Amino acid sequence: YEALAITDECSLAGIVRGWEASRATEVPLVVGSEFTLACGLKCVLLVEITAGYTRLCELITTARRAVDKKGYRLTRQDVERLLSDVDPAVCGLFALWLPAREIDETQGRWLQSVFGERTHLAVELHREQDDAARLAGLLDTAARLGMTPVATGDVHMDVRRRRALQDTMTAIRHVTPLADCGAHLFRNGERHLRTRRALGNIYPRELLDTAVQLARRCTAVSSS
């Protein structure tokens, strides 16, 4: 791996330990966070430069303050307001759109209206039966929107054997017995750090190359 991104949901809680591991292993760290907006749009924001880190923190703070207890709430208006005073080309953030199973292109267009050419379409493939159709649909969407597709992993565990632990943590999060979690659980154990060879057999080479190029541009932490 050339770099690893830590993208907890509306949080930077894992960044300190991630930075310590990055220093110990000399694998560059990319800082980011995942959000599901109030409208249902799901995206990951990656930090390119220090200014982007500041804006990401502002978004997280706004989202957390919008609720009284646990959780968060972030609207399109919140994002637009916090980024309205900056040119997308110098905002210091990259946006990765994570389309739902039923792709709503209006979500991608809105994200482009905020982040411009910094918007990428995230392609997640996990050896499921519909991977070929899903890839074709996502690439079609990217072409229609003029958006750059990029390979992403949605990694939740370091190795496959952590699947039982991952499922248990999911059950705890949903306060539901494991046997009743059903759709809350992943359909297989592919959300781990797969080998480069495995990734090369799953993703088109250009999508992997784009991921590498994007990671190289995210220097806020790796150069500090």
Side-chain angles (χ1 to χ4, degrees):
Y1 280 75
E2 183 152 328
L4 288 175
I6 302 295
T7 58
D8 294 330
E9 187 167 4
C10 193
S11 172
L12 293 172
I15 295 305
V16 173
R17 291 184 66 185
W19 171 232
E20 291 172 349
S22 174
R23 292 182 64 183
T25 62
E26 298 185 350
V27 176
L29 171 68
V30 177
V31 176
S33 190
E34 181 179 300
F35 299 91
T36 299
L37 303 191
C39 65
L41 184 153
K42 190 173 180 180
C43 65
V44 167
L45 300 182
L46 299 178
V47 173
E48 178 192 21
I49 54 176
T50 303
Y53 183 83
T54 300
R55 294 188 177 95
L56 182 61
C57 290
E58 291 173 346
L59 286 167
I60 291 173
T61 300
T62 297
R64 292 294 182 182
R65 286 179 175 174
V67 297
D68 293 329
K69 297 182 180 180
K70 292 183 178 180
Y72 67 94
R73 187 175 191 276
L74 191 67
T75 67
R76 293 188 182 190
Q77 292 73 27
D78 291 330
V79 177
E80 291 168 345
R81 176 174 55 82
L82 289 168
L83 297 176
S84 62
D85 62 341
V86 62
D87 185 331
V90 294
C91 71
L93 292 169
F94 293 107
L96 276 57
W97 175 37
L98 301 164
R101 183 61 54 183
E102 296 295 327
I103 301 174
D104 180 357
E105 292 187 6
T106 62
Q107 294 183 345
R109 291 193 182 95
W110 175 80
L111 209 56
Q112 284 178 309
S113 73
V114 177
F115 293 94
E117 294 182 355
R118 291 173 164 269
T119 311
H120 292 65
L121 193 153
V123 178
E124 298 177 346
L125 302 174
H126 296 106
R127 293 192 183 278
E128 297 177 347
Q129 291 183 348
D130 59 350
D131 270 7
R134 179 65 172 171
L135 175 60
L138 291 173
L139 293 181
D140 259 1
T141 299
R144 281 195 297 274
L145 297 180
M147 189 182 295
T148 303
V150 58
T152 58
D154 192 29
V155 172
H156 283 70
M157 48 196 144
D158 53 348
V159 292
R160 187 192 298 273
R161 65 174 179 271
R162 303 282 192 192
R163 172 70 188 276
L165 176 60
Q166 168 65 29
D167 288 352
T168 301
M169 296 300 292
T170 300
I172 292 171
R173 185 170 72 252
H174 290 281
V175 196
T176 303
L178 185 57
D180 298 331
C181 275
H184 293 308
L185 305 179
F186 295 130
R187 290 192 280 181
N188 62 30
E190 285 294 309
R191 284 174 171 78
H192 63 92
L193 288 172
R194 294 171 286 185
T195 66
R196 290 179 298 170
R197 176 173 299 198
L199 294 174
N201 290 332
I202 297 168
Y203 290 94
R205 177 60 183 267
E206 56 269 26
L207 269 63
L208 294 171
D209 288 344
T210 299
V212 171
Q213 293 161 11
L214 192 59
R216 288 175 178 172
R217 295 181 64 182
C218 295
T219 59
V221 172
S222 59
S223 64
S224 61

